[in-house]
C-alpha cells in the first residue's frame, strides 16, 4: 500500500509541519504502507533533509526547466530539496489552468529528473451514459502518449473524482464504483503499456478518504493505496486513518 499525505496549502507554518512530520515518522514505523509526504514547497527541504525514513513528494512541478521564470519551482529543484515523487495533474492545478498538454509536459520533466510521478485523473461529475469514462481515457491517453514504454511503467496513478474531493467520508466514492473504475483504468493502461505491465502500475484513490472509510475502500476494490488531503493534516484523523489501514 502507498499512502500519500497531500498537505495542499493546509499547512502554513513550520511548527505545524514539524508536528505532522514527527507524527508521520512514528506512524510510518508501525505501518507497512509506504508513506509519502507532499508538503507545500517552502517546507520540503526543511523536512526532507531532517527525515530519511519517509519519502517526499512535490505537489506539482513547473512547466519550465529553469532560468528567468520568477516564482517557478522546477523538477530539478524539487529533487535537490529531497523529493523522490511528484504529484502531477492534480485537479486543483488543472482548475488553475493546467491543460492536458501541460500535464504531459510536467510528467516528462518529472521523469527526466527521476521524480516518480503520481498522475492524477478524475471526472468532474458522473453521467448516466458513461461519458465520464471517455474523459478518464482521454486524460490517460494524453498524459502517456508521448512517453516511452519504459517511462510509462514508472507512473503511479491516482484516481481522484473531483466531485468527491474535500468533503467527508459520506461523500466519497462507493467501494463498488471504485472497483469498477479500477478495472476500467487497468483496461486502458493495458492498451497503453506493453504486455502485462499495465497490471503492475499502482492505482491509488483520492477524494474524502477518512478514518471511517479507508478500510472499506481498500478491501476488494483493487486499489494499491490512497492520496489523502484534509485528513492527512489533522493529527487525530491521520493517526486513526493510518491505524485503520493497518
Ligand atoms: P481530500 O483531498 O482528501 O481532502 O478529499 C484529496 C486530494 O485532493 O488529493
Amino acid at each position: 500500500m502507498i499512502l500519500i499525505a497531500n498537505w495542499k496549502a493546509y499547512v502554513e507554518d513550520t511548527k505545524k509541519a514539524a508536528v505532522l512530520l514527527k507524527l508521520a515518522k512514528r506512524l510510518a514505523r508501525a505501518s507497512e504502507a509506504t508513506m509519502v509526504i507532499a508538503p507545500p514547497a517552502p517546507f520540503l527541504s526543511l523536512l526532507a533533509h531532517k527525515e530519511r525514513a519517509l519519502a517526499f513528494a512535490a505537489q506539482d512541478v513547473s512547466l519550465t526547466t529553469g532560468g528567468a521564470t520568477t516564482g517557478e519551482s522546477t523538477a530539478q529543484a524539487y529533487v535537490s530539496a529531497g523529493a523522490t515523487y511528484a504529484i502531477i495533474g492534480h485537479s486543483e492545478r488543472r482548475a488553475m489552468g493546467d491543460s492536458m498538454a501541460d500535464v504531459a509536459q510536467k510528467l516528462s520533466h518529472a521523469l527526466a529528473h527521476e521524480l516518480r510521478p503520481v498522475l492524477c485523473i478524475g471526472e468532474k461529475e458522473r453521467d448516466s451514459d458513461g461519458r465520464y469514462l471517455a474523459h478518464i481515457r482521454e486524460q490517460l491517453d494524453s498524459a502517456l502518449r508521448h512517453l516511452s514504454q519504459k517511462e510509462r511503467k514508472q507512473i503511479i496513478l491516482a484516481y481522484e473524482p473531483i466531485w468527491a474531493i474535500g468533503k467527508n467520508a459520506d461523500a466519497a466514492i462507493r467501494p463498488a464504483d471504485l472497483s469498477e473504475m479500477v478495472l476500467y483504468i487497468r483496461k486502458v493502461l493495458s492498451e497503453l503499456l506493453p504486455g502485462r505491465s499495465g497490471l503492475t502500475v499502482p492505482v491509488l484513490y483520492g477524494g474524502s478518504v477518512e478514518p471511517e472509510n479507508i478500510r472499506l475502500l481498500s478491501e476488494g476494490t483493487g486499489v494499491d493505496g490512497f492520496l489523502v488531503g484534509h485528513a492527512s493534516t489533522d493529527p487525530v484523523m491521520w493517526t486513526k486513518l493510518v491505524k485503520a489501514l493497518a
Side-chain angles (χ1 to χ4, degrees), residues 6 8 10 90 92 160 164-167 206-209 227-231:
N6 179 11
K8 305 192 181 191
Y10 289 120
H90 192 283
E92 286 152 15
E160 297 209 308
I165 292 179
K167 299 187 175 141
S208 295
V209 177
L227 180 51
V228 184
H230 66 275

Side-chain angles (χ1 to χ4, degrees), residues 36-37 39 44-45 48-49 55-61 74-87 113-116:
V36 182
I37 311 288
L44 180 65
S45 156
H49 289 140
F56 291 87
Q59 291 185 7
D60 187 28
V61 300
T74 61
Q76 184 164 355
Y78 277 113
V79 171
S80 172
T84 49
Y85 295 81
I87 298 173
H113 292 92
E114 291 179 17
L115 279 174
R116 191 162 183 199

Side-chain angles (χ1 to χ4, degrees), residues 158-190:
Y159 168 61
E160 297 209 308
I162 297 171
W163 51 264
I165 292 179
K167 299 187 175 141
N168 56 47
D170 293 338
I173 196 167
R174 286 181 306 155
D177 293 339
L178 180 56
S179 311
E180 217 173 85
M181 182 52 92
V182 172
L183 281 177
Y184 180 73
I185 289 172
R186 291 225 175 274
K187 178 177 175 290
V188 179
L189 285 175
S190 65

Side-chain angles (χ1 to χ4, degrees), residues 118-189:
V118 181
L119 170 64
C120 299
I121 55 170
E123 75 282 4
K124 224 181 241 153
E125 58 197 7
R126 291 211 160 186
D127 53 287
S128 50
D129 30 72
R131 276 196 304 274
Y132 66 95
L133 293 173
H135 180 66
I136 295 294
R137 176 180 286 275
E138 191 189 359
Q139 284 187 323
L140 274 170
D141 186 60
S142 72
L144 302 188
R145 201 183 316 146
H146 305 287
L147 303 179
S148 68
Q149 295 290 354
K150 194 172 156 225
E151 287 174 323
R152 294 178 193 189
K153 289 191 211 167
Q154 303 295 310
I155 302 241
I156 295 173
L157 254 170
Y159 168 61
E160 297 209 308
I162 297 171
W163 51 264
I165 292 179
K167 299 187 175 141
N168 56 47
D170 293 338
I173 196 167
R174 286 181 306 155
D177 293 339
L178 180 56
S179 311
E180 217 173 85
M181 182 52 92
V182 172
L183 281 177
Y184 180 73
I185 289 172
R186 291 225 175 274
K187 178 177 175 290
V188 179
L189 285 175

